[in-house]
Amino acid sequence: MGELSGRTNWWHEPLVGFDLETTGTDPAESRIVTAALVEAVGGEPVRTTCWLLDPGIPIPAEAQAIHGISDDQARTRGRPAAEAVEEIAAALCARLADGSPVVAFNAPFDLSLLDAELRRYGRPGLAERLVGRQVVPVLDALVIDRAVDRYRKGSRTLQRVCEIYGVELADAHEAAADALAAVRVAVALGERYPRELGELTLAALHEQQVHWYREWAEGLQAWLRKGRDPLAVVDSRWPMR
């Protein structure tokens, strides 16, 4: 179905994939090592912008094993972190200001980490850079997948979700490859679930994801508290913390 209710579906419009590879898994403390913005139409890349940073701290061995960037590579070839972080944020916010949807896989990690990096270097945060002070519109392929196929068993890593939707991911944990894969998963979701997703404007879909993420987080928190961790707290904020 190409159109619903006389509108062109959002997955046929330009989308901007965004991904970070980092020093760790805590968005408040980790540093950016690589970043990518991939502008695509119909899942096909039109323009790709990549950054390699010197994060200013040692890259843990477990992180190096995932994304393949060593301390030596980051130090000798990477951009100074403060300079590159500002450039990444400016590029991302320019797309958002134009109304282009930014697509991520687990947006609260990437967006919150970039925001934390900006504040670390005394720069304005993402919301401060945008008219209306909101980071919108964002499409989170993970959140949407969990909502439209909530009872599917198994992991929901990017690699596994790509397998489910027939998306090739040739170089997992390379920022540009992951950013493009997130876009292609979003397009595949739109094609597979046109009635659930196509009738929504981007603004409405953004708000729906806020609800979906909160519902998921509250469910996970309740499950954890019943079992292994009675004091568990799962942050329900989306797309940023």
Side-chain angles (χ1 to χ4, degrees), residues 36-53:
L37 282 177
V38 178
E39 299 170 67
V41 178
E44 293 306 313
V46 175
R47 180 185 178 193
T48 299
T49 309
C50 299
W51 294 265
L52 171 63
L53 284 65

Side-chain angles (χ1 to χ4, degrees), residues 23-48:
T23 60
T25 59
D26 181 350
E29 300 296 334
S30 300
R31 310 294 180 92
I32 299 170
V33 179
T34 62
L37 282 177
V38 178
E39 299 170 67
V41 178
E44 293 306 313
V46 175
R47 180 185 178 193
T48 299

Side-chain angles (χ1 to χ4, degrees), residues 1 12 20-21 27 32 79 83 108 112 117 123 151 156 158 165 225 236:
M1 297 178 70
H12 295 146
L20 303 176
E21 297 299 325
I32 299 170
R79 301 267 301 281
E83 174 186 294
S112 300
E117 284 272 60
R123 307 298 176 92
Y151 299 114
R156 293 191 193 250
L158 178 58
Y165 293 101
R225 288 185 175 187
S236 64

Side-chain angles (χ1 to χ4, degrees), residues 128-240:
E128 296 171 71
R129 297 163 181 263
L130 295 165
V131 176
R133 300 291 197 249
Q134 288 188 317
V135 181
V136 295
V138 175
L139 299 174
D140 192 327
L142 174 59
V143 171
I144 297 171
D145 174 57
R146 277 196 302 232
V148 297
D149 194 5
R150 67 179 59 196
Y151 299 114
R152 189 179 76 240
K153 296 186 182 299
S155 71
R156 293 191 193 250
T157 62
L158 178 58
Q159 294 97 313
R160 179 57 183 148
V161 172
C162 283
E163 291 173 6
I164 294 293
Y165 293 101
V167 171
E168 182 180 359
L169 179 55
D171 196 4
H173 300 296
E174 192 278 323
D178 283 4
L180 179 58
V183 168
R184 286 176 168 168
V185 168
V187 170
L189 281 161
E191 296 287 0
R192 187 173 295 190
Y193 299 99
R195 289 296 171 188
E196 294 89 336
L197 303 174
E199 295 288 358
L200 298 174
T201 64
L202 283 169
L205 182 53
H206 182 100
E207 289 305 313
Q208 188 63 58
Q209 288 171 95
V210 173
H211 167 74
W212 285 335
Y213 191 84
R214 183 186 302 117
E215 185 178 57
W216 170 82
E218 290 172 351
L220 176 59
Q221 178 174 289
W223 180 78
L224 290 171
R225 288 185 175 187
K226 285 180 182 177
R228 63 182 106 174
D229 187 356
L231 300 178
V233 175
V234 179
D235 198 321
S236 64
R237 290 172 291 174
W238 180 94
M240 289 178 56

Side-chain angles (χ1 to χ4, degrees), residues 41-148:
V41 178
E44 293 306 313
V46 175
R47 180 185 178 193
T48 299
T49 309
C50 299
W51 294 265
L52 171 63
L53 284 65
D54 176 0
I57 63 171
I59 303 171
E62 56 269 28
Q64 292 188 39
I66 291 170
H67 53 60
I69 306 298
S70 68
D71 284 328
D72 184 63
Q73 288 174 296
R75 280 194 301 265
T76 59
R77 295 167 42 203
R79 301 267 301 281
E83 174 186 294
V85 164
E86 172 63 31
E87 195 172 289
I88 296 163
L92 182 70
C93 289
R95 273 62 168 191
L96 289 168
D98 286 342
S100 298
V102 167
V103 182
F105 193 86
N106 192 19
F109 177 80
D110 296 278
L111 295 176
S112 300
L113 198 155
L114 176 57
D115 201 59
E117 284 272 60
L118 288 165
R119 298 186 186 285
R120 179 173 292 116
Y121 296 112
R123 307 298 176 92
L126 295 175
E128 296 171 71
R129 297 163 181 263
L130 295 165
V131 176
R133 300 291 197 249
Q134 288 188 317
V135 181
V136 295
V138 175
L139 299 174
D140 192 327
L142 174 59
V143 171
I144 297 171
D145 174 57
R146 277 196 302 232
V148 297

